[in-house]
Amino acid sequence: MTDLFSFNHFCRSPWYGLKVDLPAAVDAVARAGFDMLAVDCLSLGQWKGEGGSVRALARRMRDAGLAAGPLAACAMIDGSAGALAQLEAAARDGEALGTAILQVNVTGPDRQARAAAVAAACERTPGLRLALEFMPISGLSTLAETLDIVEAVGPARAGALVDVWHLSHDPDGWSTLETAPPGHIAYVEIDDALPPAGDDVLAEMMDRRTFPGEGVLDVGRFARTLRNRGFSGVVSVEILSRAHLADPLGGFAARALSTARGAWDGGNPA
């Protein structure tokens, strides 16, 4: 499978107080040269609330030559009925868009509860694969636990989403990645980080990322390790940065793709 580069629209979502224009985003991301657009559920919800049609958006993406990337920010899975209902609604939108992957986060008081929550979620989304994003501020915070859950539910139903930022904040992340089965990885996300300004992990994670190769993360090692493991698939680009919110999307997307390709191609197998 050839690596496919996907633009994650979450970086321009209502999370940042933005009003979205998804058809315009489709056009900008396609002109930038991306293979895929990963629409996020926050943006999709706002756009649908203003009368937007998911199927019409899917047609526009196809006409622009964009495949549907993973549907992002679908739910915080915790085993609750509310989270499962939110996930089911996202699954309906994902099917209408034509994606095969729903990106979720996972929380819960312990490993057993988190594994059970994911198993229940898989039962409610037949035909779609869940991408489990581990991150330091959620219950599921390590790649090792994520891979254990994937093994338990089966890699056809779920896989790990490995983001270089989160991996770099996982104490055993690099060593775990070096032995991770590539089939247990749903897709990867590439980005970078500015030097930390303080101890606020949420602010650093959500507001202070930068373009791949322009920060302090070892994105070359990230790409090289994944290639050595035999990974080939979706490479999502997610630049979460308040400093770039006012940048025109076309130029922002073009820079994101150029730097991501450079960082990814620079990580050739050893």
Side-chain angles (χ1 to χ4, degrees):
M1 181 179 180
T2 303
D3 297 318
L4 299 172
F5 285 85
S6 177
F7 182 85
N8 189 342
H9 191 270
F10 182 80
C11 63
R12 292 301 179 98
S13 75
W15 172 275
Y16 292 100
L18 300 177
K19 180 176 172 58
V20 302
D21 183 343
L22 287 177
V26 168
D27 296 343
V29 169
R31 285 195 300 269
F34 275 93
D35 304 297
M36 312 176 88
L37 172 62
V39 180
D40 65 283
C41 283
L42 279 72
S43 297
L44 198 59
Q46 183 191 92
W47 187 70
K48 286 168 58 182
E50 297 174 348
S53 161
V54 180
R55 295 195 181 280
L57 182 66
R59 288 195 297 272
R60 187 163 187 142
M61 290 170 64
R62 289 194 298 271
D63 291 345
L66 286 175
L71 183 59
C74 290
M76 176 65 81
I77 301 301
D78 60 3
S80 68
L84 291 173
Q86 182 180 351
L87 181 62
E88 288 182 325
R92 291 191 291 271
D93 284 338
E95 289 173 342
L97 278 174
T99 186
I101 298 175
L102 306 178
Q103 180 265 312
V104 299
N105 298 97
V106 184
T107 191
D110 53 48
R111 292 174 65 100
Q112 183 177 0
R114 292 188 288 269
V118 173
C122 288
E123 293 297 325
R124 306 288 277 269
T125 55
L128 294 171
R129 192 183 191 195
L130 300 184
L132 313 179
E133 181 181 32
F134 65 96
M135 57 185 183
I137 64 168
S138 68
L140 185 62
S141 61
T142 68
L143 177 57
E145 182 183 346
T146 306
L147 293 173
D148 286 345
I149 293 175
V150 171
E151 181 67 24
V153 301
R157 300 203 296 172
L161 162 52
V162 187
D163 183 311
V164 64
W165 197 97
H166 301 316
L167 184 82
S168 299
H169 290 76
D170 175 356
D172 299 315
W174 288 109
S175 59
T176 304
L177 186 64
E178 288 170 356
T179 59
H184 284 40
I185 298 174
Y187 67 101
V188 303
E189 280 190 330
I190 192 167
D191 46 70
D192 214 324
L194 298 173
D199 297 327
D200 188 336
V201 176
L202 181 61
E204 296 293 333
M205 183 176 78
M206 301 303 296
D207 301 336
R208 290 178 47 76
R209 301 203 207 184
T210 190
F211 297 92
E214 298 184 6
V216 298
L217 302 184
D218 196 344
V219 293
R221 180 184 179 186
F222 181 67
R224 190 163 52 252
T225 303
L226 284 159
R227 287 175 174 238
N228 284 338
R229 294 303 303 151
F231 174 83
S232 181
V234 176
V235 180
S236 175
V237 189
E238 181 185 59
I239 315 299
L240 304 180
S241 170
R242 289 194 181 274
H244 291 287
L245 288 180
D247 292 358
L249 183 55
F252 177 86
R255 183 177 173 187
L257 180 59
S258 175
T259 55
R261 277 183 171 155
W264 189 255
D265 292 342
N268 291 321

